[in-house]
């Protein structure tokens, strides 16, 4: 460990990403929401000013008084990891980190005014150094994205909405808000997993960490490839009833299931986007103000459409088939309408079935089509890929 021009920062044989924007690693659904919120000038500033009204000060005092603060004197190895993660992701101010006594493995990044990272003793005892490095990077990724600010803001708004639940249809509206909020939370966790991989730069360590969180500290009894196979089986197995149960199981959760997180992270680690970041090509923080909200939402919508199109889940496959069938139907109807009203050859009139009412017998040529091709073959401009 040596000092560099940034001060007493651990020197690692890992790539650093100066000026990296959190947009580089954020999940499309997470990124679109964050870009929109960042465009609301003063939105987070106003809520930071209200932090005195929220329990943040109480939390800070609680952790300061009843947990161990990571420093050069306490949990030194965690302090090194924290500074290293902030150095790699170029986070200027290192957030305070606390270790709390709790046998349940967990970590979180909270706080409105300034982010605080909290890890439990259960997590510290469960993970090895490289696995823990990915977790610390995960939490630093939350801080860089501003998840701590926006999560607290939305939770505050949700709690406010609960106080007016007596308004007619208020419960329905609140349920919709909470459901959307949790969906964003789950996607923000996928974003932070990616940040953890950028910090640790060891995909197998990230996989092992998730596997241990799911199955405990029995690494000799577990296998990463088999764990990933579970994710594939979970996605494609069962029938429509199982698909509905999957949705019901995940709705109350703030985090995706661990096998799903592992599979998503492995997929991203093999993507061109990840490789470009590792090669030094990534969006910069200085460009965040020029980011298009419309483009971000379009990318998010494209992601969900691609998920439906490529998913092995029975319900999503059905949705994709229905969407594809609707697109084919639209193309077929569009072709028929063009053939009927768009004019024909030599005054011929199509009967809607691809044959001409007039013309040489058996020429097989309809008013709007080529020889031997039905007019409504779905190749027209109205066709959709679904």
């Amino acid at each position: 460990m040596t000092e560099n021009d940034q001060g007493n920062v651990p020197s690692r044989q890992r790539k650093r990403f100066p000026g990296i924007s959190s947009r580089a690693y954020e999940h499309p659904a997470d990124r679109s929401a964050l870009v929109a919120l960042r465009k609301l000038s003063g939105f987070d500033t106003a809520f930071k000013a209200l932090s005195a009204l929220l329990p943040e000060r109480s939390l800070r005092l609680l952790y300061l008084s009843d947990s161990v603060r990571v420093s050069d004197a306490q949990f030194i190895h965690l302090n090194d990891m924290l500074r290293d993660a902030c150095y790699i992701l170029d986070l200027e101010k290192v957030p305070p980190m606390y270790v709390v006594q709790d046998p349940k493995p967990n970590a979180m990044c909270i706080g409105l005014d300034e982010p605080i990272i909290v890890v439990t003793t259960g997590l510290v005892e469960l993970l090895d150094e490289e696995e823990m490095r990915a977790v610390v990077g995960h939490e630093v990724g939350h801080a860089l994205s501003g998840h701590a600010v926006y999560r607290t803001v939305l939770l505050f708004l949700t709690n406010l909405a609960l106080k007016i639940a007596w308004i007619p249809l208020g419960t329905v509206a609140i349920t919709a808000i909470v459901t959307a909020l949790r969906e964003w939370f789950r996607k923000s966790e996928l974003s932070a997993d990616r940040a953890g991989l950028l910090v640790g730069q060891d995909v197998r360590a990230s996989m092992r960490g998730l596997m241990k969180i799911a199955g405990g500290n029995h690494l000799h009894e577990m296998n990463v490839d088999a764990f990933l196979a579970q994710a594939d089986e979970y996605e494609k197995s069962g029938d429509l009833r199982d698909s509905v149960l999957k949705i019901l199981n995940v709705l109350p959760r703030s985090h995706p299931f661990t096998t799903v997180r592992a599979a998503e992270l492995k997929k991203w680690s093999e993507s061109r986007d990840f490789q470009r970041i590792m090669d030094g090509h990534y969006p910069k923080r200085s460009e965040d103000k020029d980011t298009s909200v419309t483009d971000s939402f379009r990318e998010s919508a494209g992601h969900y459409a691609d998920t439906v199109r490529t998913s092995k889940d029975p319900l999503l496959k059905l949705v994709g088939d229905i969407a594809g069938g609707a697109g084919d139907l639209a193309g077929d109807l569009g072709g028929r309408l063009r053939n009927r009203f768009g004019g024909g050859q030599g005054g011929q009139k199509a009967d809607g079935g691809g044959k001409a009412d007039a013309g040489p017998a058996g020429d097989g040529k309809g008013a709007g089509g080529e020889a031997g091709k039905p007019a409504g073959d779905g190749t027209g401009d109205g066709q959709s890929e679904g």
Side-chain angles (χ1 to χ4, degrees), residues 131-325:
E131 296 158 5
M132 193 67 199
R133 187 182 299 277
V135 169
V136 173
H138 174 111
E139 300 306 327
V140 170
H142 276 314
L144 182 58
S145 286
H147 287 145
V149 172
Y150 297 119
R151 283 182 168 200
T152 307
V153 166
L154 288 180
L155 284 172
F156 174 76
L157 293 175
T158 302
N159 290 334
L160 184 63
L162 287 172
K163 296 179 181 179
I164 58 173
W166 56 269
I167 296 176
L169 298 181
T171 303
V172 175
I174 291 169
T175 301
I177 292 173
V178 172
T179 300
L181 180 62
R182 285 174 176 158
E183 170 64 9
W184 179 21
F185 278 16
R186 290 190 290 270
K187 294 302 184 286
S188 72
E189 289 301 320
L190 298 180
S191 298
D193 284 344
R194 296 174 178 184
L197 178 58
L198 291 177
V199 168
Q201 299 175 23
D202 184 346
V203 68
R204 300 296 285 188
S206 295
M207 298 290 105
R208 291 198 311 270
L210 290 168
M211 188 170 62
K212 282 184 175 180
I213 291 172
N217 193 21
H218 299 280
L219 193 58
H220 64 287
E221 297 284 355
M222 297 183 285
N223 179 277
V224 170
D225 294 327
F227 187 65
L228 291 171
Q230 287 182 227
D232 186 62
E233 181 180 349
Y234 169 78
E235 182 183 7
K236 68 183 181 182
S237 65
D239 53 22
L240 294 181
R241 292 170 300 177
D242 293 312
S243 298
V244 173
L245 290 174
K246 291 177 190 177
I247 294 173
L248 295 177
N249 284 340
V250 80
L251 279 179
R253 296 176 59 92
S254 61
H255 287 57
F257 294 114
T258 48
T259 57
V260 174
R261 290 173 63 183
E264 287 284 339
L265 187 59
K266 183 175 186 295
K267 180 180 178 181
W268 188 71
S269 72
E270 297 168 348
S271 70
R272 183 172 178 270
D273 290 341
F274 174 73
Q275 190 56 55
R276 283 182 57 80
I277 296 174
M278 296 303 296
D279 291 340
H281 306 292
Y282 49 82
K284 301 294 180 65
R285 230 167 289 164
S286 57
E287 305 164 350
D288 283 349
K289 63 182 183 299
D290 301 321
T291 306
S292 168
V293 176
T294 301
D295 290 344
S296 298
F297 276 105
R298 185 180 297 116
E299 185 178 357
S300 176
H303 164 77
Y304 280 111
D306 185 63
T307 298
V308 171
R309 188 164 51 247
T310 61
S311 177
K312 301 173 185 176
D313 180 81
L315 180 58
L316 290 185
K317 285 179 67 177
L318 176 62
V319 171
D321 291 342
I322 292 173

Side-chain angles (χ1 to χ4, degrees), residues 3 6 12 41 57 65 146 177-178 183 185 209 251 280 320 329 341 351 368 382:
E3 293 188 5
Q6 296 292 319
R12 308 290 188 189
S41 179
R57 288 179 178 271
S65 63
I177 292 173
V178 172
E183 170 64 9
F185 278 16
L251 279 179
L329 179 60
F341 299 109
D351 67 358

